[in-house]
Structures are given as C-alpha cells and as structure tokens.
Amino acid sequence: MAVVQADLGPVDEAGAKRARIRNYLLRAWPLYIMMVLPVIQLALFHYYPMYGVVIAFQDFNPGLGFGGSPWVGLKHFKFIFANPDFTNVLANSFIIAVAKITTLQFMAVSLALLLNEIRSMIFKRTVQTVIYLPHFLSWIVLGGILLDLLSTSGMINRAIEFLGFDPILFLGSNTWFRPIIVLANLWKEAGWATIIYLAALTGIDPVLHEAAAIDGANRWQRIRHVNIPGIISMVILIACLNLGNVLQAGFEQVLTLYNPTVYETGDIIDTYVYRAGLISARYSMGAAVGLFQSAMGFVLIVFAYRLASRYAGYRIF
C-alpha cells in the first residue's frame, strides 16, 4: 500500500501544478490579451528593423539591397576609429552629455528643495507650471526662440550693446556653443526633472522635521540634515541610471542650433551620423557609427544598473 502511495505522489503533484497553472491563466488571461498589441508593436518597430544593422558590415547599395550588397566586414569600423573627426565627435558627445547630466541633476535637486519650502500653494503651483512648460515644447520651437534671442541683432546682443560692449556671436563661437547647449537644456528640462525629487520629499516622515524643530534647527538646517539625507538614495539612483545616456548629447537640440562654424565643439555622434550617413549617403559608415554608439550605450546601461543596485538598492530582476 505504501508503494502505491509513493507511485501516486508525483502524479498528484503534477496534477496540482497543472491545476495551479490553469487557475492562474483563468484569472490572468485578459492581461495577456492586452499585451498582444504592444508585443507586436515591439517586434515590428524595434526588433525587426535590427536586421538592417548588417549594412554596417557591407558596402551598402540601396539598389542591391541587404542581400546583394558586398560584404566588407569591419572595414567601416576601422575607418571611423582611424578618422580624427570621429575622435573629436566622440569627445564632444561625452563632454556635452556629462555637462548636461550633472548640471540638470544639481538644478533639479535644488529646485525641488526650494519648491518644497514654499508654503503658498498658489504661488508654488504657478512656479511649477512656469518651469514645467518648456518641457512640453519641441526643440524646433525653443530653438527658433534661442536663434532669435542670440542672433547678432537679437535682444541679448542689443542689451550688450546698450551697456557699451561689442555684440557676441553666441551660436557661431566654439567658446560659447557648449555652455549655451547646457543652459538651454536646463531651461527646457530642469522643471520637469524636479518631479521625482518632489515626490521623494513628500515621502519623508514629518516627525523628523518636528523633532529637528524641537531641537532648535532652523529651516536651512532641516533642509541640510533631514531633506537632503531623505532623498540622497533617489539622487544616487538617478545619477547611476543617467550613466546610460553619457553618449546621448541631444540630437534635436544640437541639430537645431549648430552650424559648420561650431563643428569643432558642437558636432556629436548623432549629428555626425545624420550628416555623414544620410546627407552624404554613406549609409554603411553611418550604420557603423550608430552600432558603436548603441553597443557603448548597452555597456553603460549594464554598468549603471550594477551601480544602482549596489549603492541605491534598485533592482529589476
């Protein structure tokens, strides 16, 4: 009898497992149905086009297509790594992206801390609306505004001339172009970037502020010893995750504002691919540069995830 029970045990366990799976599917099937269209969209517009990466290893000819174009292996990668222009473009991308990330992080935290101290809700909402608004405008619109403001006959140069100084060619100067790109990015994104830090500030236990006030801490001391430590893990997390964007310097912004006179300091990987790959019809070289950028981005994202997991306790898996 004991032998019969031992034989039936695994059968019963397998039947129970099938029953659990069946019950789960009966409950969750609407969720899987909802996933069908997003999965199809992901496959068609994100994974299927990856087949085109083969042109980075070909002398691609649109008339011959992917299958008929001659295979050249790593020829285009060797060319771009030996090209001094690409080295300059890579350095520009890194410098501009790092400057954007660090300044935006600092400004977003500062604005969040200041907004959190405002007691008048009407004034607070008004300020938030004003600083959020540029985020919803495209770089085409904002770029047009900046081109008018910073032109030699624009408002800023008129003010400079009124003060008795010579006008400055802001967007035609290699000295001024990078700072303008960074400041314009702050104008557009700083307000929006404060949202996550404001949310983190609301999660701080009010008892900590009450205890600090009882101990005689003023407002600045409460910011320094309660608010900042309360959001520091979120700051570290965002900083780590932003490492994945180190080579993403902002294609739309730079393309809108730059010109041939500032290629030395303003040409980035994305604009280089656009000019060399699409405008000059060197599709294979453009694809090689893009593939290199994507590969480096993947490595940086993995590294950033490791840092976020170690220092901020953030994990997806």
Side-chain angles (χ1 to χ4, degrees), residues 65-85:
F66 295 143
S69 298
W71 191 268
V72 295
L74 299 177
K75 169 187 171 183
H76 301 293
F77 293 93
K78 294 177 181 178
F79 173 79
I80 62 175
F81 290 135
N83 188 348
D85 288 341

Side-chain angles (χ1 to χ4, degrees), residues 53-68:
V53 79
V54 297
I55 69 176
F57 305 95
Q58 298 175 329
D59 275 333
F60 180 69
N61 185 328
L64 298 176
F66 295 143

Side-chain angles (χ1 to χ4, degrees), residues 10 21 24 28 38 56 59 65 80 85 95 99 120 153 165 168 172 201 205 215 263 289 301 303:
I21 295 174
Y24 170 76
D59 275 333
I80 62 175
D85 288 341
I95 292 170
S120 171
S153 59
F165 298 98
I168 300 173
L201 285 168
D205 192 346
D215 288 339
Y263 281 173
V289 176
I301 288 172
F303 179 65

Side-chain angles (χ1 to χ4, degrees), residues 51-249:
Y51 174 69
V53 79
V54 297
I55 69 176
F57 305 95
Q58 298 175 329
D59 275 333
F60 180 69
N61 185 328
L64 298 176
F66 295 143
S69 298
W71 191 268
V72 295
L74 299 177
K75 169 187 171 183
H76 301 293
F77 293 93
K78 294 177 181 178
F79 173 79
I80 62 175
F81 290 135
N83 188 348
D85 288 341
F86 179 72
T87 304
N88 184 59
V89 164
L90 189 61
N92 289 341
S93 299
F94 180 79
I95 292 170
I96 292 175
V98 170
K100 281 185 174 183
I101 291 170
T102 53
T103 55
L104 184 61
Q105 181 94 342
F106 175 79
M107 184 61 70
V109 172
S110 301
L111 283 174
L113 291 171
L114 292 174
L115 287 171
N116 189 62
E117 295 301 312
I118 296 176
R119 295 294 173 258
S120 171
M121 293 305 296
I122 296 176
F123 180 69
K124 181 177 180 179
R125 299 303 182 193
T126 302
V127 172
Q128 286 180 296
T129 301
V130 170
I131 63 177
Y132 289 174
L133 182 60
H135 171 80
F136 298 99
L137 301 178
S138 71
W139 273 117
I140 301 301
V141 175
L142 295 179
I145 295 172
L146 288 171
L147 289 172
D148 288 337
L149 289 174
L150 300 173
S151 67
T152 52
S153 59
M155 184 184 300
I156 294 178
N157 269 316
R158 287 184 180 180
I160 291 174
E161 289 178 329
F162 178 78
L163 295 173
F165 298 98
D166 294 329
I168 300 173
L169 190 61
F170 288 104
L171 297 178
S173 168
N174 284 307
T175 302
W176 283 97
F177 187 76
R178 285 177 183 166
I180 289 171
I181 289 293
V182 173
L183 291 174
N185 182 67
L186 286 178
W187 175 36
K188 186 176 189 296
E189 301 295 346
W192 187 255
T194 62
I195 292 176
I196 191 168
Y197 298 117
L198 284 172
L201 285 168
T202 61
I204 296 175
D205 192 346
V207 173
L208 296 176
H209 284 283
E210 295 173 1
I214 292 172
D215 288 339
N218 57 33
R219 180 170 292 186
W220 163 245
Q221 289 171 328
R222 293 201 300 271
I223 291 174
R224 181 181 176 185
H225 297 290
V226 178
N227 285 346
I228 293 179
I231 65 171
I232 194 65
S233 61
M234 183 60 66
V235 173
I236 294 172
L237 172 61
I238 299 299
C240 292
L241 295 180
N242 280 336
L243 287 177
N245 298 321
V246 162
L247 295 182
Q248 302 290 335

Side-chain angles (χ1 to χ4, degrees), residues 11-27:
V11 177
D12 293 338
E13 184 178 349
K17 185 177 181 180
R18 287 194 298 269
R20 287 196 300 270
I21 295 174
R22 183 170 60 252
N23 292 334
Y24 170 76
L25 291 176
L26 288 174
R27 294 194 311 271

